[in-house]
Amino acid sequence: MKRMKWGLKTALTALVMSSVAITAAPAFAAGKLTVSSSQDPGSWDPIDTFLVAWAAVSTNIFDGLTYRGPDLKLVPGLAESWEELDQGKRIRFKLRHNVKFHDGEPFNAEAVKFTFDRLLGEQGAKGPQRSNYTAIESVDIIDDYTVDMTLKTPDPVLLTKLAGYGAMIVPPKYIKEKGEDYFNLNPVGTGAFKFVSYTPKVNIKLEANPDYWGGAPKLSELEYRFISEPATAVAELQAGRVDLVIPPTIPIGMLPVIQGDSKLEIASVPGPTVDALRFNTRDGITADPRVRKAIIMAVDRDTIVKSILAGQGTEIVSFQNSLSFGYDADLKPLPYDPAGAKKLLAEAGVKPGAALQIDIRGNDTTMNEVAQVVASYLQMVGITATIKPYETNVLLNDIIPQGKTGAMFQQKWGGWTFDYDNTAYSMYHSGEKWNPYEKDAALDKLLESQRPLTDRAVREKVLKDIGKYVADKALELPLYNSNAIYGVSKRVKGFVPAPDTRIKLNEVTVD
């Protein structure tokens, strides 16, 4: 009998303790969030990519020395603090203690040096990120938790660049032991979530990192599914098999579907992403700047924005948005002037019926609609345009970089630093991946001249001069700055939409 009473007492005590534990909440709550992304980056190595789809996932796997969240404010990341020395040509970073990579390897000064030696070395040369960090001459270890970053010239945007993409800190021992190819498909960082598995073109699965230096995530699992077809992504959201659809998946035409579902909502914020149809300036009729200007004048961009974007974007004059440093509010667009366009085409010797091809991302439903309208406008001035959709990775990794586009090709750019340099240098400097056609020494000089400037007013003027120069050469048909549009299940709590789609999900919960 006594034994039974003791057992009952023990059970009651255990129950009480259990309820106390539940009240206190565990390190992270059980819960899985499933996210739909339109694109599989194909590699998870930070130096291999420029894709927003990569950053949307990898912001949860990796950390940089600095961090910039949805409020766009720069704060400490893996560096607790930093100090600019030698007139901006040296930055001393004090690093966080007691941080570990997901494989148990310690984060320290050696990892920082390895990351940047790799980025600026032979391995980094194979990817698109190195040119963003060429101001860095060396990273030197002062002690285990202090590094000096010496610059060839001051870079006023460098601290922001350290918050994303190529500057994400990677594990030296893991990469040396496993190899580059293995790391591409099995990423390890210091972030809030740890890699579990990756099935190309299907999904990547992550789990909570309970030892995350910023506090254990409130989710236990995080899965990203790669769903390229917008209608499928929205259907999965409606069915509850996806909790969050991230930009740029949702076309404007499907917004009413989400808004009409009581279980779902739209989260929309102005973002840095701009869309343009850039010109092949090397071949065919668009090699003539008069033809390029005529095409711009033939298209009523204001009507396109109002009729197709339905308030979810604004017209742009240059390839940047109004929040970008270097934006010139006084720069005026070429007017919508079909008669003037016809006159310019005649001057350039372009006969009615001349043909051109517009290359776009096949899964971008909004751009598909826009391209159809652009083709209609061009028909009105005597140009016959055909639209060629490509699988996104093919267009971005083969057709554009290899200079195999038609006369016009879609460029969607995130401009995530909110600084025109990040866009302009990549788009217009000779030899850059996104500039397969233009070689302009004067423009190169302008682009290079602003990078070391620390006087913001002087640098801003140079950036505005670049915008004017590019507009005068008519290197693209600027279209619009679109909002970042998220489709969200109402079971998701604590989600804050990021303008640049770099969404950190450690504070999110699901009902």
Side-chain angles (χ1 to χ4, degrees):
M1 187 69 177
K2 286 183 180 179
R3 188 172 181 179
M4 289 179 64
K5 286 183 178 179
W6 183 87
L8 180 59
K9 182 178 179 181
T10 302
L12 289 170
T13 301
L15 181 61
V16 170
M17 292 302 293
S18 173
S19 66
V20 169
I22 291 168
T23 303
F28 55 84
K32 177 181 177 181
L33 183 77
T34 302
V35 182
S36 172
S37 176
S38 63
Q39 189 175 7
D40 176 1
S43 170
W44 300 105
D45 187 335
I47 63 177
D48 281 353
T49 188
F50 60 91
L51 294 174
V52 169
W54 177 91
V57 177
S58 295
T59 296
N60 294 285
I61 299 173
F62 297 101
D63 293 305
L65 294 175
T66 61
Y67 173 69
R68 194 191 68 193
D71 62 2
L72 304 184
K73 293 178 181 176
L74 200 65
V75 296
L78 289 174
E80 290 183 328
S81 63
W82 53 87
E83 179 184 8
E84 295 190 22
L85 306 167
D86 302 340
Q87 289 77 52
K89 292 191 71 175
R90 182 162 56 96
I91 309 173
R92 174 160 290 182
F93 293 93
K94 293 290 186 180
L95 308 179
R96 290 187 187 276
H97 292 240
N98 303 315
V99 175
K100 290 186 177 181
F101 289 97
H102 300 149
D103 66 336
E105 187 176 339
F107 161 74
N108 52 27
E110 181 188 346
V112 176
K113 179 172 175 55
F114 173 84
T115 295
F116 288 98
D117 286 351
R118 180 173 178 267
L119 169 63
L120 298 170
E122 183 180 336
Q123 194 65 30
K126 299 174 184 177
Q129 280 296 329
R130 189 169 71 165
S131 64
N132 283 323
Y133 302 92
T134 50
I136 302 170
E137 183 171 18
S138 65
V139 173
D140 301 301
I141 296 173
I142 305 304
D143 59 43
D144 282 351
Y145 294 98
T146 308
V147 295
D148 276 3
M149 188 174 283
T150 302
L151 309 183
K152 298 169 189 172
T153 56
D155 181 347
V157 196
L158 182 60
L159 287 171
T160 297
K161 293 175 184 174
L162 297 181
Y165 293 92
M168 297 291 92
I169 306 301
V170 298
K173 183 170 178 283
Y174 180 81
I175 293 176
K176 289 173 184 174
E177 289 182 355
K178 299 290 188 179
E180 298 288 347
D181 291 342
Y182 187 85
F183 179 61
N184 288 349
L185 305 179
N186 301 269
V188 163
T190 59
F193 290 87
K194 300 189 292 185
F195 172 78
V196 174
S197 67
Y198 168 52
T199 303
K201 300 190 181 299
V202 178
N203 64 6
I204 182 169
K205 294 181 179 181
L206 311 178
E207 65 182 7
N209 174 13
D211 301 318
Y212 182 52
W213 59 265
K218 294 177 180 178
L219 293 165
S220 56
E221 296 177 74
L222 181 56
E223 178 184 359
Y224 289 81
R225 293 175 55 193
F226 306 120
I227 304 175
S228 61
E229 175 54 51
T232 304
V234 171
E236 291 294 277
L237 181 67
Q238 287 184 293
R241 290 186 288 268
V242 160
D243 304 303
L244 178 64
V245 178
I246 62 175
T249 302
I250 301 172
I252 302 300
M254 295 197 74
L255 290 180
V257 175
I258 297 174
Q259 291 164 333
D261 191 319
S262 62
K263 304 186 301 296
L264 309 177
E265 58 189 351
I266 290 290
S268 175
V269 292
T273 300
V274 284
D275 277 80
L277 290 173
R278 300 185 69 205
F279 292 111
N280 178 341
T281 59
R282 184 190 64 197
D283 309 314
I285 61 174
T286 50
D288 189 325
R290 292 171 297 180
V291 174
R292 301 197 296 267
K293 288 181 180 179
I295 289 172
I296 295 170
M297 293 164 64
V299 177
D300 186 350
R301 288 162 287 158
D302 181 61
T303 295
I304 286 175
V305 169
K306 287 176 180 174
S307 62
I308 296 180
L309 294 194
Q312 296 291 336
T314 54
E315 184 182 356
I316 56 173
V317 177
S318 58
F319 202 37
Q320 60 181 318
N321 77 336
S322 61
L323 297 176
S324 168
F325 183 74
Y327 175 79
D328 187 351
D330 296 325
L331 185 62
K332 303 301 179 188
L334 285 171
Y336 171 54
D337 182 2
K342 288 181 180 179
K343 183 179 178 183
L344 274 178
L345 290 171
E347 288 176 10
V350 177
K351 300 188 184 312
L356 60 76
Q357 178 178 297
I358 303 173
D359 298 338
I360 64 169
R361 302 182 186 189
N363 69 339
D364 189 335
T365 306
T366 299
M367 178 53 72
N368 201 304
E369 289 184 53
V370 170
Q372 296 287 350
V373 174
V374 168
S376 297
Y377 280 123
L378 294 182
Q379 189 71 46
M380 292 165 62
V381 297
I383 295 176
T384 301
T386 58
I387 299 165
K388 185 168 185 178
Y390 283 93
E391 196 275 323
T392 299
N393 282 344
V394 173
L395 181 65
L396 299 184
N397 295 319
D398 179 27
I399 302 302
I400 295 174
Q402 299 299 321
K404 299 189 293 188
T405 73
M408 301 172 74
F409 57 97
Q410 178 190 2
Q411 187 74 64
K412 181 186 288 287
W413 193 252
W416 75 279
T417 61
F418 288 88
D419 188 294
Y420 188 40
D421 167 79
N422 177 254
T423 302
Y425 203 97
S426 296
M427 296 297 121
Y428 313 126
H429 194 279
S430 298
E432 285 294 307
K433 178 176 181 177
W434 305 115
N435 179 26
Y437 302 121
E438 274 294 299
K439 290 179 181 165
D440 186 327
L443 183 52
D444 287 350
K445 187 175 180 181
L446 270 175
L447 289 162
E448 291 160 8
S449 70
Q450 54 83 30
R451 282 199 155 180
L453 297 175
T454 54
D455 186 317
R456 282 179 62 84
V458 174
R459 183 168 172 269
E460 185 176 29
K461 181 183 181 305
V462 177
L463 289 173
K464 288 181 177 181
D465 288 343
I466 291 168
K468 291 187 182 80
Y469 189 99
V470 170
D472 187 59
K473 289 197 74 172
L475 297 183
E476 66 248 331
L477 165 60
L479 290 170
Y480 47 81
N481 166 215
S482 53
N483 284 7
I485 304 171
Y486 298 81
V488 190
S489 166
K490 289 183 179 178
R491 69 187 289 263
V492 177
K493 308 298 180 186
F495 172 70
V496 179
D500 56 7
T501 320
R502 295 171 62 245
I503 45 173
K504 205 169 183 177
L505 296 168
N506 54 314
E507 293 298 322
V508 169
T509 60
V510 288
D511 287 344

